[in-house]
Amino acid sequence: MSASSVDLNLLLVLHTVLTERNVARAAERLHVTPSAVSNALARLRSALGDPLVTRKARGVVPTPRALELAPGLARVVRELELMLSVAPFEPASCTRTFTLAVADLGQVVWSPLLAAAMRREMPLAHLRVVGIDTLVSLGDLSASEIDLHLGIPAKGPGIYAEPLLEERSVLAARRDHSVFERRVTRRALGELRHVRVEMVPGKNFRDPFAATYARAGVPREVVMTVPSYTTAAEIVAASELVTMLPLSFLRARGEGLGLREVNAPLPAHTARIAMCWHERTHADPAARAFRALVRDVVKGRQRT
């Protein structure tokens, strides 16, 4: 006889009856009626071809076949209970590897703070940081490899998004750029040549700054497209080109690269930054703790 031919719930009933040696007490423990227990035993007798238990004055007596089954049933039920039990989550003993998908903005600004926070709160856990191109190539948040995405709010079935902050972007140029020699008018702004950041080529990329320039009535000549803010900043630092950079990125890297913000006649451009995750990790205690850590880091509640 194979396990697939027997309703495994019936074996749980038999285990409980053999433990209690009483149908009524077994029914109470299983939260069912005594007649439901009796019916289950009848079905199992038919399947196994053995009476299993016989009645006595104040309970039941197991047959030799039932006594043979009892130790194995007890072991299986105990292992199932251990497997299904949920121990309290302890961050200090967590050994999980968490995968965070974030653009190089977050890699530069938040990853160092997050690494320090994990070292304090989850010292045995590991952090894997991947870019947005990797997020897309793996199948976005529905893929089992990504625990959390930090960036522009994602949408889709089963996706949760929690807004964290708004990030302002500004026009940046090298410190000795000619643009700083005179007042930046719309005409002067339109004469500049730009580096554009496109993180995932070929994925219907929408240039977020095109509308900003359009609202200002300023033409924008893009002469170079690169996959990251880091690359754009390096190019601008070594040329007469300019680029739009998130303000926090410029503050983190601008001084070292010799970059400055250009006081340009442009409408303010802000983007919402959110952390996004899939419903498959929504209730997981370890994933929830990781999200709390990321939330505190991005909102500036973690000490350095």
Side-chain angles (χ1 to χ4, degrees):
M1 177 180 293
S2 65
S4 61
S5 65
V6 179
D7 184 344
L8 299 183
N9 288 316
L10 302 180
L11 297 178
L12 177 60
V13 171
L14 177 60
H15 164 72
T16 309
V17 170
L18 293 176
T19 301
E20 297 293 336
R21 299 295 173 97
N22 184 283
V23 170
R25 287 199 300 269
E28 183 177 353
R29 183 167 155 185
L30 293 168
H31 305 290
V32 297
T33 63
S35 61
V37 172
S38 297
N39 289 336
L41 288 174
R43 290 173 58 195
L44 197 54
R45 288 187 185 105
S46 176
L48 298 180
D50 188 270
L52 298 175
V53 294
T54 57
R55 293 187 178 275
K56 68 174 185 177
R58 295 183 178 179
V60 294
V61 177
T63 66
R65 177 64 173 141
L67 290 174
E68 289 177 358
L69 293 172
L73 288 174
R75 182 174 63 255
V76 169
V77 170
R78 183 167 59 252
E79 290 177 355
L80 281 172
E81 289 174 344
L82 287 173
M83 182 179 66
L84 296 175
S85 64
V86 179
F89 176 69
E90 296 291 343
S93 59
C94 176
T95 58
R96 281 262 293 271
T97 295
F98 298 97
T99 299
L100 172 67
V102 62
D104 61 325
L105 160 65
Q107 294 171 26
V108 168
V109 177
W110 298 309
S111 289
L113 300 176
L114 184 56
M118 289 192 67
R119 192 162 56 246
R120 288 191 303 271
E121 307 295 334
M122 298 184 188
L124 302 180
H126 301 270
L127 177 61
R128 177 190 178 214
V129 178
V130 300
I132 303 304
D133 54 343
T134 300
L135 170 69
V136 172
S137 68
L138 290 175
D140 295 319
L141 287 168
S142 59
S144 60
E145 290 192 45
I146 306 296
D147 294 292
L148 194 64
H149 166 220
L150 187 56
I152 303 301
K155 296 179 181 180
I159 300 296
Y160 289 82
E162 179 183 333
L164 297 179
L165 53 78
E166 290 193 346
E167 177 71 43
R168 186 163 71 92
S169 291
V170 297
L171 185 66
R174 73 183 193 191
R175 187 179 293 117
D176 59 350
H177 195 289
S178 59
V179 72
F180 297 112
E181 296 174 359
R182 61 190 187 277
R183 179 172 170 267
V184 185
T185 62
R186 281 183 170 80
R187 180 177 178 179
L189 186 60
E191 293 173 351
L192 297 173
R193 304 201 308 162
H194 296 255
V195 179
R196 183 181 69 172
V197 176
E198 183 178 337
M199 295 180 191
V200 188
K203 291 294 181 179
N204 297 320
F205 175 79
R206 182 181 65 84
D207 183 352
F209 305 116
T212 301
Y213 275 78
R215 287 200 305 273
V218 176
R220 176 168 170 252
E221 183 184 4
V222 175
V223 298
M224 193 169 187
T225 301
V226 296
S228 69
Y229 292 115
T230 301
T231 304
E234 292 281 355
I235 292 169
V236 168
S239 70
E240 283 289 300
L241 301 178
V242 298
T243 192
M244 296 290 289
L245 294 176
L247 184 57
S248 61
F249 184 95
L250 182 61
R251 287 171 175 168
R253 287 289 176 86
E255 184 175 354
L257 290 171
L259 300 180
R260 287 175 55 188
E261 176 184 350
V262 178
N263 186 16
L266 288 170
H269 182 278
T270 59
R272 289 184 178 181
I273 302 297
M275 62 177 183
C276 307
W277 63 95
H278 195 266
E279 61 185 357
R280 64 185 173 77
T281 62
H282 183 65
D284 178 65
R288 289 171 58 185
F290 179 62
R291 292 196 295 268
L293 211 59
V294 173
R295 179 187 301 113
D296 288 346
V297 164
V298 175
K299 288 192 170 186
R301 296 198 291 252
Q302 280 282 351
R303 65 186 186 278
T304 59

